[in-house]
Amino acid sequence: MNGKTIELKDSQGNAYQTYLSMPRGGRGPGIVVGLDIHGLRPLYHEIADLFAEQGYLVAVPDYFWDVKRGEDGSFRTTLKFPTCIEVTKSTMSALKSMAEC
């Protein structure tokens, strides 16, 4: 894997984990990859690393940080849509401010 897990904060100061994969060449356009209802898993690390190999700075934020999985093992019934939006916006802002982007 090319990336690493970092901690970012939303506009309210809540910390959340984000997988960050650096672009080949050290600098490139930023991409935020969204998750499905099963949350952050190794598959998303692989997707991010594939984009990074093509020259993109890729972030995969865990926007389910504040909920527990539902009875079916997914976040289908527990996700908080406003949190998903806030984390995505905060991640986009963080990427823009990185020297690699």
Side-chain angles (χ1 to χ4, degrees):
M1 300 220 164
N2 176 46
K4 62 183 176 183
T5 300
I6 63 170
E7 182 177 279
L8 294 177
K9 292 189 178 184
D10 67 15
S11 65
Q12 306 301 310
N14 298 306
Y16 60 93
Q17 300 296 307
T18 299
Y19 181 76
L20 184 69
S21 193
M22 305 303 284
R24 185 183 346 190
R27 190 161 161 46
I31 296 176
V32 176
V33 175
L35 303 174
D36 63 17
I37 60 169
H38 299 289
L40 187 56
R41 337 186 267 292
L43 167 68
Y44 288 100
H45 296 188
E46 293 171 23
I47 291 169
D49 291 344
L50 288 171
F51 275 109
E53 287 174 12
Q54 299 302 313
Y56 295 92
L57 175 63
V58 188
V60 187
D62 181 8
Y63 43 64
F64 299 123
W65 65 269
D66 66 340
V67 294
K68 293 185 181 189
R69 292 183 186 274
E71 290 180 17
D72 66 352
S74 78
F75 296 103
R76 179 188 326 265
T77 60
T78 60
L79 73 91
K80 296 178 183 175
F81 192 69
T83 300
C84 296
I85 298 299
E86 174 61 29
V87 166
T88 300
K89 288 169 60 174
S90 296
T91 304
M92 290 171 64
S93 179
L95 277 183
K96 287 181 192 178
S97 70
M98 293 180 181
E100 297 85 1
C101 187

